[in-house]
Amino acid sequence: MKWALIGASRIASGYVIDAIRAQSGHEIASVLSSDEGRGRDYAETHGIARSSTDLDEILADPEIDAVYISTTNEKHHPQAMAAIDAGKHILCEKPLAMTLSDAVEMVRAAEAKGVVFATNHHLRNAGSHLAIRDLIASGRIGEVLSARVFHAVNLPEHLRGWRINDRAAGGGVIPDITVHDADTVRFHLGEDPVEVVAQSAVSGLGQGVEDSVMSVWKMPSGAMVQTHESFTHPHAGTGIEFHGTKGSIFARDVMTQRPVGGVWLVGPNGRQDVSFDDHNLYVRALGEFAKAVVGNGRPAADGVDGVKSLAVALAVREAADQGRAVRVDYGGI
Ligand code: NDP
């Protein structure tokens, strides 16, 4: 299976190129960059045969089966629509788009064309999160009453570009991290938030965009969810907790790109450590995508998952901007 990278990005060079190449029979044939020189250097550095500044040229290549879109967020929609039109399978970065209607359009167009469309929500591929979901689904903590997500990190220096100063490119911690937390909570609880309240702030990095946000979500079951995302917390560490009528799950350092961290369960009989697989998150995501392309199952996170995580993030931003509770609009999907 031949891939094209749409975007000469750091996430591709850091994780996804290796994850594609870890799949048997998968190779990367070309990379799109808006800058000819950067594209050429990127292709050379990563052993990719061709680079181009012309999306149509890449999509016209009948040998390309799938594209991985990891440009800045405002480009995902037009590039995905063109790739769908060309009949390519798509793994698209989060957030899928800048608006809900654009994201819904992408997912509906992919369905109509019969191509696989996936969202790169890596966290649900982590061994830690798979173990947590199994504990919740098997009733180990009883009825879930609440969840708390700790996702306040220190944005690395090399990522302090469009994320902190360009709202039009999709900057801000809400499109960057709240989407992941929305997907992760949906993955664990199997339900979609109905209403949110939130406060956002600029706490040292944001220039015209929020760099910190706290929000509380109401779930259909009645469970309450509290989340904290930030770019400005060097020592906070990440984590997630689920508290139920029979027990609580605690996980630390698991809101990350690497297969690290710890999970433990606390119940009437005390504390019990939970073991989990330490496979590479992105390799698993690409593996599920590859299987879906040959008609075997669905991607780890599909297009509908991407629409829903975006819907929650947009509601959080609206709630923070307007200082009122906002019902989450899922765009009819
Ligand atoms: P980058 O800033 O690395 O790349 C985005 C675009 O910026 C690229 O497409 C490229 O444009 C341009 N660019 C890259 N490097 C440079 C450079 N050195 N100088 C000038 N321009 C450059 O973004 P990320 O990789 O951090 O994020 C890309 C997408 O992936 C976003 O949608 C983000 O939300 C998502 N993401 C997802 C993660 C996940 O785990 N699921 C983790 C990190 C990001 P061009 O292609 O035109 O050359």
Side-chain angles (χ1 to χ4, degrees), residues 127-133 135 148-151 184 188 236-243 248-255 260-266 271 274 276:
S128 55
H129 286 283
L130 290 162
I132 293 169
R133 191 189 57 166
L135 290 170
R148 302 200 287 209
V149 186
F150 311 91
H151 208 156
T184 306
H188 288 306
T238 70
I240 195 164
E241 297 174 359
F242 292 93
H243 303 285
S248 287
I249 297 166
F250 296 84
R252 285 294 178 270
D253 301 325
V254 295
M255 309 305 284
V260 296
V263 180
W264 64 97
L265 185 64
V266 177
R271 172 182 163 145
V274 175
F276 54 85

Side-chain angles (χ1 to χ4, degrees), residues 7-12 32-35 38 68 70-73 75-76 93-95 120 122 159 162-163 176 180 257 282:
S9 69
R10 292 174 181 88
I11 180 63
L32 177 84
S33 171
S34 58
D35 183 278
R38 189 168 60 241
Y68 168 55
S70 64
T71 44
T72 47
N73 304 338
K75 294 183 178 164
H76 296 174
E93 270 305 342
K94 43 51 65 170
N120 199 26
H122 59 293
L159 295 183
W162 59 270
R163 272 184 179 77
D176 202 51
H180 280 312
Q257 295 173 295
Y282 296 89

Side-chain angles (χ1 to χ4, degrees), residues 25-329:
H26 286 233
E27 59 181 274
I28 302 166
S30 51
V31 56
L32 177 84
S33 171
S34 58
D35 183 278
E36 196 178 336
R38 189 168 60 241
R40 200 173 41 241
D41 288 351
Y42 194 94
E44 202 175 298
T45 305
H46 300 292
I48 299 168
R50 288 193 307 279
S51 65
S52 174
T53 56
D54 183 350
L55 179 62
D56 292 338
E57 183 197 325
I58 287 184
L59 295 177
D61 181 349
E63 294 219 313
I64 301 291
D65 305 293
V67 299
Y68 168 55
I69 299 175
S70 64
T71 44
T72 47
N73 304 338
E74 87 288 9
K75 294 183 178 164
H76 296 174
H77 171 259
Q79 291 171 335
M81 292 305 290
I84 293 164
D85 199 40
K88 312 299 184 191
H89 302 294
I90 292 158
L91 173 61
C92 188
E93 270 305 342
K94 43 51 65 170
L96 285 189
M98 301 291 286
T99 67
L100 193 67
S101 58
D102 279 357
V104 169
E105 186 184 21
M106 290 153 72
V107 173
R108 294 229 162 102
E111 266 168 24
K113 193 78 177 180
V115 295
V116 171
F117 188 103
T119 309
N120 199 26
H121 280 308
H122 59 293
L123 289 170
R124 55 166 72 205
N125 291 285
S128 55
H129 286 283
L130 290 162
I132 293 169
R133 191 189 57 166
D134 285 351
L135 290 170
I136 295 171
S138 62
R140 292 290 295 279
I141 62 167
E143 186 192 330
V144 178
L145 302 171
S146 63
R148 302 200 287 209
V149 186
F150 311 91
H151 208 156
V153 299
N154 184 35
L155 187 69
E157 290 274 353
H158 67 276
L159 295 183
R160 294 180 185 177
W162 59 270
R163 272 184 179 77
I164 59 166
N165 65 18
D166 193 348
R167 200 177 175 103
V173 78
I174 295 173
D176 202 51
I177 305 186
T178 307
V179 282
H180 280 312
D181 294 343
D183 184 66
T184 306
V185 168
R186 289 187 56 250
F187 176 67
H188 288 306
L189 298 185
E191 57 179 352
D192 303 329
V194 285
E195 192 175 275
V196 306
V197 292
Q199 293 276 345
S200 64
V202 173
S203 56
L205 281 182
Q207 299 155 37
V209 294
E210 80 288 332
D211 58 27
S212 294
V213 63
M214 289 186 175
S215 59
V216 175
W217 313 343
K218 193 193 282 181
M219 305 301 283
S221 63
M224 296 183 73
V225 176
Q226 163 194 317
T227 84
H228 179 201
E229 295 89 19
S230 178
F231 287 151
T232 64
H233 285 51
H235 306 294
T238 70
I240 195 164
E241 297 174 359
F242 292 93
H243 303 285
T245 50
K246 293 189 196 158
S248 287
I249 297 166
F250 296 84
R252 285 294 178 270
D253 301 325
V254 295
M255 309 305 284
T256 169
Q257 295 173 295
R258 291 172 299 114
V260 296
V263 180
W264 64 97
L265 185 64
V266 177
N269 301 322
R271 172 182 163 145
Q272 181 191 331
D273 286 338
V274 175
S275 61
F276 54 85
D277 283 349
D278 63 354
H279 56 256
N280 179 299
L281 285 62
Y282 296 89
V283 171
R284 183 181 184 277
L286 266 293
E288 298 300 298
F289 183 87
K291 283 193 260 168
V293 165
V294 296
N296 182 5
R298 60 182 285 277
D302 63 15
V304 172
D305 294 315
V307 169
K308 291 188 173 182
S309 64
L310 174 64
V312 176
L314 291 172
V316 166
R317 190 174 250 172
E318 188 181 338
D321 287 350
Q322 310 223 343
R324 60 176 174 80
V326 170
R327 282 191 79 76
V328 184
D329 172 10

